[in-house]
Each structure stands twice: as structure tokens, then as C-alpha cells.
Amino acid sequence: GAVVSQHPSWVICKSGTSVKIECRSLDFQATTMFWYRQFPKQSLMLMATSNEGSKATYEQGVEKDKFLINHASLTLSTLTVTSAHPEDSSFYICSASSLVGGGYNEQFFGPGTRLTVL
Amino acid sequence: QKEVEQNSGPLSVPEGAIASLNCTYSDRGSQSFFWYRQYSGKSPELIMFIYSNGDKEDGRFTAQLNKASQYVSLLIRDSQPSDSATYLCAVTPSGYSTLTFGKGTMLLVSP
């Protein structure tokens, strides 16, 4: 299957600082990338969908000014958590999508980034 | 609200048994159905996807889809302790390319 990487795999930061997470599709060009957040013992919650060269579409309740998404190329998307606070501590996972047979999109997940805000 | 429901478990089965995981979804127009496995602290990995009614087999795994009943299941034959994980059902709602995830069912396979 296709490979998606994330960097960093974990980060600890002080409250009020900004953190950037990178998501790369290594061996394919992703038409769409997705950002999820997962709190302990909860399911994945979609935060936003991004297409290369266009503005991200944010899910209801997700602050677009706090979670900045840049999708500069078909292989790279970044999520910046601005002015992070302890409640932003979570597991952030990206996925990249490409078309499979029949026109259906299959999502390939990155390994995730564990963010801890002190 | 597009919803995907799963029993949170844990579902406990002995090694070698068949594990049956179930999922229901609310959007009758949903197109694609996926089963992911997630180990603690890791991101999900795709096990299978299914689009058509009926069964789809891949090794020890069989996905079953019944669109009339809005029900999708995953059977794991000859369960192994390494299968112990949380299994997430995900659905692509009609008209969307996004995935809606259920909360997952924890499976515990005892040696």
C-alpha cells in the first residue's frame, strides 16, 4: 500500500506556542489530504479536508484560525496548531487519498503525531 | 448527522476462534465501507474495504455488507493474540469523499 509519513512523531511544547506538523505522501500523489484528531479512548474525528492549492474545508466546531492547514503540493500538507493550550493535547493523524478502482477514494494514514502541551 | 455505530466491547475470544465485529450506519446512501485496525498509540491501518452487498474474503478476514439493513461486519477466523486491537468501521457517506468513523470495538484474543 501507499506510504504516508508524519513529522514529528511526538512533540511537547509550552502553552502559547505554535506547533507545525508535516504530512507527506511518499510514493504517490495525493489528490486530497485529511487531518484527524483522536483523544484517548475516542474515535478519530475529522478536523479538515484539504486539496492541493486550495483552502481547506474545516468540520463544524474546528477553528480554522487556530488550526492552520497548508497544502502546498500533491505530496505535502502541514497543520499548524497556533497558540497551543493543554486542551489541544491529542493524537493528530493525517491521511492521504488517491483513487482506487471504480473511482472510490482510499485513505492511507500517517503514523500520527502525539502533541502534549504543558 | 451521519452516524456509524459500533459496540465498544471489549469482545473477548479465545485463540483460534472466530471473532465477529459489527457496525451499523445511518446514511442509506453510503457508498464505501472500510474496516481499520488500530493498535494502542498507533494510527489506523486498513484491513479491508467493501462496496457491494455480500461477502468479501481476504485471508482470515471476511467483510460482509447488507445495504438493505445498513449493516457491515468483519469476521476474523483463527483469531490470534496479535489480532488484539481496536477495530474501526468507517463509511463514506453519499456525495462525500470523507470517512465517518465509528468509535471502534476493542477485540481481546486470549492465548
Side-chain angles (χ1 to χ4, degrees), chain A residues 25-39:
Chain A
S25 57
L26 298 184
D27 52 2
F28 69 103
Q29 292 187 325
T31 52
T32 306
M33 288 187 170
F34 304 86
W35 287 96
Y36 295 85
R37 179 169 53 182
Q38 186 177 36
F39 293 107

Side-chain angles (χ1 to χ4, degrees), chain A residues 80-112:
Chain A
T80 301
V81 183
T82 62
S83 186
H85 291 284
E87 58 265 30
D88 298 322
S89 299
S90 187
F91 191 41
Y92 291 86
I93 309 172
C94 75
S95 71
S97 176
S98 67
L99 292 176
V100 295
Y104 299 104
N105 291 331
E106 181 177 347
Q107 291 188 27
F108 301 95
F109 284 83

Side-chain angles (χ1 to χ4, degrees), chain B residues 80-91:
Chain B
Q80 301 297 310
S82 58
D83 294 327
S84 298
T86 295
Y87 289 80
L88 301 170
C89 172
V91 175

Side-chain angles (χ1 to χ4, degrees), chain B:
Chain B
Q1 182 81 14
K2 314 281 190 239
E3 295 185 348
V4 178
E5 299 288 342
Q6 294 181 258
N7 189 317
S8 61
L11 172 66
S12 296
V13 299
E15 183 175 359
I18 296 175
S20 177
L21 303 160
N22 304 314
C23 172
T24 59
Y25 57 94
S26 63
D27 182 5
R28 183 170 289 279
S30 297
Q31 303 288 333
S32 317
F33 307 87
F34 301 81
W35 282 100
Y36 287 86
R37 178 174 61 195
Q38 187 176 27
Y39 293 108
S40 180
K42 303 294 184 182
S43 69
E45 54 180 323
L46 181 66
I47 298 175
M48 291 187 70
F49 55 85
I50 186 169
Y51 307 128
S52 305
N53 274 329
D55 295 358
K56 180 182 178 182
E57 186 174 319
D58 184 359
R60 296 187 296 114
F61 300 96
T62 299
Q64 300 174 318
L65 175 61
N66 184 326
K67 289 187 177 181
S69 300
Q70 296 174 234
Y71 174 93
V72 58
S73 66
L74 179 70
L75 300 177
I76 306 174
R77 290 181 297 280
D78 188 24
S79 295
Q80 301 297 310
S82 58
D83 294 327
S84 298
T86 295
Y87 289 80
L88 301 170
C89 172
V91 175
T92 298
S94 56
Y96 292 87
S97 61
T98 57
L99 288 173
T100 299
F101 281 87
K103 292 186 176 181
T105 298
M106 181 182 292
L107 173 65
L108 298 175
V109 182
S110 54

